[in-house]
Amino acid sequence: MIPVVSIIMGSTSDLKVMEKAAELLNDFKIPFEINALSAHRTPLEVEDFAKKASGRGIRVIIAAAGMAAHLPGVIAASTALPVIGVPIGASLGGMDALLAIVQMPPGIPVATVGINASLNAAILAVQFLAQEDADLQKKLIVYKEGLKDKIIRANEELKEIKFDYKTN
């Protein structure tokens, strides 16, 4: 299998957050890779990875980082592939990472999801890939319908909860 999505994290301590992205990609049967690279500790390796990713078949990069969170931006600066940034809540409630990822200079965009929201990053990656894959588009529609059904079922369950002053 050749990976089409690359999950990159600044440290293996981010794996607990990034597992949700890996699980979703796995459920959708999308080949992916997971690696740790640091914009600050391994800058040459990050640049090399970003420049070679497309040639290896990667089509979307999900990059997670906490604190200064330069990894997604450094990757985006060296590739034309879409980069999805996942801010990790390592300090300051993750706001430092969120701002570092979302506030990119003109010409170097990074699609950014919420703090620790790796599942949303994976769904966004699937949406990018589904633009050219009708079967994947169908799976995505089924997945999203399942989200709607989950809420409908939750409301049915809430109807069964009784309180003296509950009106529904």
Side-chain angles (χ1 to χ4, degrees), residues 2 5 12 30 33 37 73 79 84 107 112 139 148:
I2 297 171
V5 176
T12 55
I30 295 172
E33 63 184 17
L37 291 170
T79 186
I84 304 167
T112 308
K139 286 182 187 177
K148 181 175 83 174

Side-chain angles (χ1 to χ4, degrees), residues 23-82:
E23 288 168 2
L24 183 100
L25 294 171
N26 198 63
D27 289 347
F28 273 85
K29 297 179 176 29
I30 295 172
F32 66 95
E33 63 184 17
I34 301 176
N35 290 294
L37 291 170
S38 170
H40 302 108
R41 295 181 189 106
T42 60
L44 298 177
E45 288 83 353
V46 170
E47 184 179 14
D48 185 59
F49 159 79
K51 287 181 176 180
K52 292 179 179 175
S54 179
R56 293 188 307 105
I58 300 298
R59 294 181 44 214
V60 181
I61 298 170
I62 300 172
M67 298 175 10
H70 293 126
L71 182 61
V74 169
I75 291 172
S78 297
T79 186
L81 293 172

Side-chain angles (χ1 to χ4, degrees), residues 8-19 64-66 71 88 90:
I8 304 296
M9 59 195 107
S11 167
T12 55
S13 65
D14 301 335
L15 183 57
K16 286 183 95 171
V17 171
M18 299 311 294
E19 280 178 329
L71 182 61
I88 301 293

Side-chain angles (χ1 to χ4, degrees), residues 109-145:
V110 174
T112 308
V113 297
I115 298 165
N116 294 339
S118 71
L119 179 62
N120 274 352
I123 293 169
L124 187 55
V126 172
Q127 288 176 258
F128 285 141
L129 296 170
Q131 294 301 300
E132 298 175 3
D133 184 331
D135 290 335
L136 190 55
Q137 183 71 252
K138 288 175 187 170
K139 286 182 187 177
L140 184 59
I141 290 168
V142 168
Y143 175 82
K144 292 220 172 185
E145 285 295 317

